[in-house]
Amino acid sequence: MRGLKVLPSGRPGRGRLYVSLPDGRTVAWYDRRTRRISILSDDGREAVLAALRPYLSGHWTIGPPPVPTPAELRRLYLPPDHDLAPNLPGETLLGELAYGTPGVGRTRHRMRRQLLALQRTGAELDLLEADDWRAVHDVPLPGLGLLDHLLIGPPGVFALRTVPGRRRRAQVGDLLLTVGRSAPGPDPRWIRRAAARAARALASPVTPALTLADSSRVEVAPTLRDVLVLQPPTLAVTLRAIPPTLKPPDVEALFTLARSRTTWTPEP
């Protein structure tokens, strides 16, 4: 086998590493948690080991792959360009700041502040991975823009929009969100629309959520009952306390669907 590519399935240093042919077909994977290499065909054993060697450490084993579920089969044949799972929190903003022409002064400052807020929330979401949660960042929603985070776990699916708190008081109402003395923004309405769009795409209920990063105080209107309001320091604890509704295979099946770009932007 020639031209093998090693692709991550999630955050750097986490999850599996997939070994794929140039056309996107997966021929093997390395589970970093169990340190086990699964190879679909013994014909390419040496080539697979050569491709994975820079990533292997300690004691690892080789064995036949387990019988894949339908969700795993869909993931194995997902072209790399269509896979959203490797996206980092705020990856689009990071690219614009590094390679784009986003402007100068206040515009770049706002972008950096938003990026830090997204990274702060993303770090908290990553803490949930060990408890069978899965997250996808920068999910494209045609007509709405990018959904900051889509979180899937035992309590269900959550669409998260992150707003920088700027160490100011945040007031969250039914329709508007105000941070400090800034003009109110339509974030509650936007995240409701994004959650509804995600629910249609995944054929599953999706809870809208707003994350206020680094707010000095958060005040939520008592009439706001359909949008979950979170803060990074208590985000993981709050989500873990929600009663479970999904089993691990359901979480993986929804994650496989959510990580595919064609789920959100179908090809013509």
Side-chain angles (χ1 to χ4, degrees):
M1 297 183 182
R2 296 183 179 180
L4 292 180
K5 299 179 181 179
V6 179
L7 302 169
S9 64
R11 306 286 76 72
R14 301 170 180 263
R16 290 178 174 179
L17 290 173
Y18 287 91
V19 182
S20 302
L21 295 170
D23 62 5
R25 287 181 297 155
T26 297
V27 295
W29 63 86
Y30 173 53
D31 191 319
R32 282 179 279 203
R33 181 180 299 179
T34 61
R35 293 185 177 179
R36 180 184 178 88
I37 301 173
S38 297
I39 304 177
L40 295 177
S41 174
D42 285 338
D43 295 341
R45 180 187 181 106
E46 295 303 323
V48 167
L49 291 178
L52 284 174
R53 201 169 302 280
Y55 306 93
L56 301 177
S57 62
H59 178 72
W60 44 270
T61 60
I62 301 176
V67 178
T69 64
E72 287 175 328
L73 285 174
R74 289 194 297 271
R75 181 172 58 197
L76 291 175
Y77 288 95
L78 185 63
D81 291 344
H82 290 182
D83 193 358
L84 301 176
N87 285 359
L88 297 172
E91 184 164 308
T92 302
L93 269 180
L94 187 62
E96 290 180 7
L97 284 168
Y99 306 108
T101 54
V104 295
R106 291 185 178 181
T107 300
R108 292 186 67 87
H109 177 68
R110 283 195 298 268
M111 293 176 69
R112 290 194 189 98
R113 188 170 58 201
Q114 178 68 26
L115 176 60
L116 289 174
L118 292 169
Q119 292 173 335
R120 175 89 184 274
T121 299
E124 294 296 319
L125 297 181
D126 281 346
L127 296 177
L128 294 168
E129 285 191 3
D131 297 329
D132 294 325
W133 293 72
R134 299 290 181 266
V136 184
H137 307 285
D138 278 12
V139 177
L141 300 178
L144 288 179
L146 289 175
L147 174 62
D148 295 331
H149 323 277
L150 185 79
L151 183 66
I152 306 168
V157 185
F158 301 84
L160 280 71
R161 182 177 179 88
T162 293
V163 180
R166 307 186 343 253
R167 299 182 181 178
R168 304 285 197 276
R169 181 183 68 169
Q171 297 173 291
V172 188
D174 289 325
L175 301 177
L176 299 173
L177 169 78
T178 305
V179 177
R181 296 183 179 181
S182 300
D187 301 276
R189 287 182 290 178
W190 188 94
I191 196 59
R192 286 190 186 98
R193 294 174 59 194
R197 180 77 62 83
R200 289 195 297 270
L202 299 176
S204 175
V206 177
T207 301
L210 292 171
T211 303
L212 280 301
D214 297 319
S215 288
S216 61
R217 186 172 64 187
V218 177
E219 299 175 357
V220 181
T223 53
L224 184 67
R225 298 187 179 93
D226 62 327
V227 177
L228 188 63
V229 179
L230 304 167
Q231 292 180 273
T234 58
L235 183 150
V237 174
T238 301
L239 291 173
R240 286 192 183 106
I242 300 175
T245 59
L246 296 176
K247 296 180 180 179
D250 301 324
V251 173
E252 289 299 328
L254 285 168
F255 175 59
T256 298
L257 187 61
R259 69 188 294 177
S260 174
R261 186 177 297 275
T262 56
T263 298
W264 312 102
T265 55
E267 295 181 338

